[in-house]
Amino acid sequence: MSALVVGGGFAGLAAAIALRASGVPVTLVEHQSDVGGKARALRTAGATVDVGPTILVDPAPLRALLWLAGADADEAPLERVDPVALVTFSNGTAFHWAATPDATAEAVADLGPHARDDWARFLDVGARAARLAARFVERGDVAGPHDLWRLVAGGGVPVGDLVPFVRHPSLAALLAARIRTPALRRWLGHFARFVGLEAHTAPAVTLVIPYLVATSGAWYPRGGFAALASRLGRLAEDRGVVMALGTPVERLEATPARVVAVTAGRRIVAARGVSAVDVVTTAAWLGPEMLRRTAGRLTPASSTVVAWWVVQGHAPIRTHHAFHFADDGEPLYVATPTVSDPTLAPPGVDIVYALLHVPPGTTLPRRLGALLRRRVEAHGQWPGGPVLAEGVEGGGPSCYGYRIGPGLFRSFRPSQRVPGLPLAMAGGSVFPGPGVANALRSGLRAAALLGGASRAESA
């Protein structure tokens, strides 16, 4: 029973490694010449500049994947980011988001008279969101009413865990009801951006994202995210996955008995398959009727624009991450990964990113890099020396996939299953959650749905 995986990003790599761990022969097909998908890096001015993700919110799925492959954690080393971030507001207040909940409780105390109590309230409701999210991972795919019932039935979900998210459908509504400190409300509401939404349109269970970071920490893979993808690609190959890189897929053919990837040079046939590419692309490959209803309902989430610089020197305020909130408009996100991993650049050199969220399809302004640099300088995070290299990335299609809606049961994206076919989908367009962690988790889930990686579910 062979398997085919289309797409060599983190979701496809996770699916391929998990399927191979169960003894299934696997071929992974990727149109680029290397793996990683959105995680890619530039080598310039002696530095390695990631132009994709900059933080791992939840290390659990990566650790699960390594366990499935029988690999040591040193094959994908992680650095814990401490403090997680500097958070500033326009009225001059600021705090360091620490790597432990107790330390952060001390740091937020200056935000207002209720801030300590609000932090405790956040941790309480966040724990409920985390239990629901764990239930979602445990119970598998949600494709219809029966699956929704299976998600909450059979014990394991206390009614008290459901109530806040049923009563307050959106993240903004939940925070308005539970958090009295305006700065905390704005900061926690910003995590809707981690799934490409706004606080008033994101489901309330999105609160699980800051909760996971607050309790499990934030992590950075040594060498960057493109390097992490390369390590997982080598791991897949070492475990016997056939890597067909530089092989664009022209279409997919699927019957109840097989899945075929049609490329320019050959037809790759397998008994089952995972499409770890965008669900709309998958629908176009399979033909107009197969996923027409699913693909037709989707609306792109927000996109991002990123300016980056390789700069001689170090900034007066030097922290791996920072969130800078203005009176109005989009908060500025700044990352300096060389704080956690100095090997990314020559000695005495920093890599600096500045990120904004924008509507999908946004055309980048000509002066965007200069505008963002001025904002970074204003916050004291600009190194003092000359710029050795710089660039601007992003705009265009959403990097978060598609929008989900407020409400507990509207928070599930399209099913990962393709009805009647031995085909599962993976990636951000079909699995809710932030970044690399959930891309990996979606690949593990896809492998489990195909019945070829029973250990993936327990992982």
Side-chain angles (χ1 to χ4, degrees), residues 58 61 130-142 150-151 412 416 431-432 437-438 441-442 444-445 448-449 456-459:
D58 179 9
R131 287 192 290 268
L132 288 176
R135 183 73 164 189
F136 173 58
V137 172
E138 171 196 348
R139 288 284 171 165
D141 193 58
V142 176
R150 193 163 58 94
L151 177 67
F412 304 110
Q416 287 189 252
F431 197 86
N438 272 41
R441 188 168 276 123
S442 75
L444 291 169
R445 170 78 67 78
L449 288 173
E457 287 193 339
S458 60

Side-chain angles (χ1 to χ4, degrees), residues 231-250:
R231 292 188 188 104
L232 293 181
R234 289 193 297 271
L235 179 62
E237 197 165 15
D238 289 346
R239 296 303 187 267
V241 175
V242 177
M243 308 291 281
L245 304 181
T247 306
V249 171
E250 296 179 351

Side-chain angles (χ1 to χ4, degrees), residues 18 59 69 95 97 138 163 188 192 219 358 375 406 442 456:
F95 70 95
W97 184 8
E138 171 196 348
V163 168
L188 294 172
W219 303 82
V358 296
R375 290 188 65 179
S442 75

